[in-house]
Amino acid sequence: MKQLIFLGLILSSSLCIASEFNVQKFPLTFRSGDRAGVFGKFRIQDKDYSLLIDSGASGHGLNYKLVKKMKLALGKTGEGSTPHGDIHIIHIGTIHTQINGKPLDLRDAITVKNDPGDLSLEKDGIWGTVSPSALADDKLAVLDLAKPAMYLIYPVPKNIMGWLMGKYSDFDFDELPRVSGRPYVEMIETTVDDLGNLKMTVDSGATTTNIYSDSIGDSSKPISIWIQKHRCSTPMARIRSIGSPGHQNHLLGMDCLQGKILVFPPTNLQMLWIGWPKK
């Protein structure tokens, strides 16, 4: 009898631990061909649309053609910038979506008329972008670029690093200060060959790393990027002139992020985490 009571206590304790957090899982799919990245199938107005999961985006966006087709209301306008150039933003409010029957609201979404970045996405049948950071207003957003999948966890674990180490024992995590000072703009400090310390946007929407410089040495050689104790060596980085059109933010792209885990808490916590597979 004592053994049965003891076993019951263990099972009860395990159930408490398991139910401590509410975890929503959203399965994702890798882009095909040489376009690295991940997307999810989002049901909008009873039809599924592929949306790119873009940690480099400061908010959610929907293709202008789709917005017009759905007859979504257009709101206030504003100005923005992408690597392709300056853009005119139109606010469209909250987009109500579902993934596998689970509701997920994309709040404060925008659209952009004549966005040059939309053209390459349209070729892959992708009709917008989802910002994991913007989903993490009151949750922990985990973007697994190895599975791939996205998770929303709430309440946010008090010891995020400890939770990650327990959940992902095959990964080694760096805890990194957010250095942009702006909500949903995920920039970290890195050290780059020949260029020293650079602030780079953690950008799962960029197929390759982008570095703006007119002084780098031999750009044909792989470039090493150090993020705390880990190194990404990539031969795919695009070295762009400082005079190139568009914003000049250095982008840490999918050539370095593929296979990693990106973790974004609410913006009041001034850290983010990158998980590296253990060898």
Side-chain angles (χ1 to χ4, degrees):
M1 179 63 71
K2 289 182 179 179
Q3 288 179 330
L4 289 175
I5 293 173
F6 181 66
L7 179 60
L9 288 172
I10 292 176
L11 290 174
S12 176
S13 175
S14 298
L15 288 173
C16 288
I17 293 171
S19 61
E20 183 179 357
F21 301 104
N22 186 316
V23 180
Q24 290 180 286
K25 179 180 179 180
F26 303 98
L28 302 176
T29 303
F30 287 115
R31 295 178 73 180
S32 60
D34 59 355
R35 293 187 176 95
V38 292
F39 64 88
K41 291 287 187 181
F42 290 75
R43 179 158 287 259
I44 309 171
Q45 293 186 358
D46 296 323
K47 188 175 179 180
D48 288 334
Y49 295 94
S50 296
L51 303 182
L52 187 72
I53 310 302
D54 186 358
S55 64
S58 58
H60 314 302
L62 207 59
N63 184 290
Y64 184 77
K65 294 178 185 176
L66 190 57
V67 168
K68 297 297 287 183
K69 178 182 176 181
M70 292 181 172
K71 299 181 180 179
L72 299 179
L74 302 180
K76 64 181 181 180
T77 60
E79 304 299 319
S81 182
T82 75
H84 305 283
D86 295 334
I87 55 175
H88 300 286
I89 294 169
I90 307 171
H91 293 262
I92 55 175
T94 297
I95 304 170
H96 302 290
T97 80
Q98 289 185 341
I99 298 183
N100 288 351
K102 301 173 185 176
L104 183 65
D105 285 346
L106 307 180
R107 292 178 288 184
D108 300 320
I110 65 165
T111 189
V112 177
K113 190 176 182 179
N114 300 323
D115 184 354
D118 279 347
L119 298 178
S120 62
L121 293 179
E122 282 182 34
K123 291 177 181 177
D124 285 353
I126 294 175
W127 293 95
T129 55
V130 171
S131 165
S133 299
L135 292 175
D137 267 341
D138 57 351
K139 303 175 181 68
L140 187 71
V142 177
L143 179 55
D144 187 336
L145 296 172
K147 293 292 183 191
M150 181 169 62
Y151 302 85
L152 296 179
I153 296 98
Y154 57 92
V156 177
K158 292 182 180 179
N159 179 0
I160 295 176
M161 177 65 94
W163 184 87
L164 290 170
M165 291 172 65
K167 182 72 175 177
Y168 298 99
S169 58
D170 293 337
F171 285 78
D172 190 26
F173 284 88
D174 285 325
E175 184 176 80
L176 303 158
R178 287 165 153 162
V179 298
S180 72
R182 292 184 290 161
Y184 316 130
V185 179
E186 303 296 1
M187 300 181 75
I188 60 172
E189 290 280 3
T190 69
T191 302
V192 181
D193 281 354
D194 301 327
L195 295 176
N197 296 333
L198 294 182
K199 294 179 181 179
M200 303 188 76
T201 300
V202 180
D203 193 351
S204 64
T207 56
T208 61
T209 293
N210 284 245
I211 295 174
Y212 291 85
S213 175
D214 292 323
S215 61
I216 198 164
D218 186 355
S219 60
S220 65
K221 294 182 179 178
I223 291 177
S224 289
I225 302 168
W226 286 92
I227 302 167
Q228 288 192 357
K229 59 181 179 289
H230 295 98
R231 179 175 70 103
C232 163
S233 179
T234 172
M236 299 173 62
R238 295 178 63 200
I239 310 302
R240 306 181 68 176
S241 169
I242 291 176
S244 300
H247 66 57
Q248 302 292 301
N249 294 346
H250 307 292
L251 307 178
L252 186 69
M254 285 295 291
D255 49 336
C256 283
L257 298 176
Q258 187 86 28
K260 312 301 189 299
I261 294 176
L262 311 181
V263 183
F264 307 100
T267 55
N268 64 307
L269 299 178
Q270 298 303 310
M271 310 295 292
L272 61 85
W273 289 260
I274 297 179
W276 302 71
K278 293 179 180 177
K279 300 298 184 182

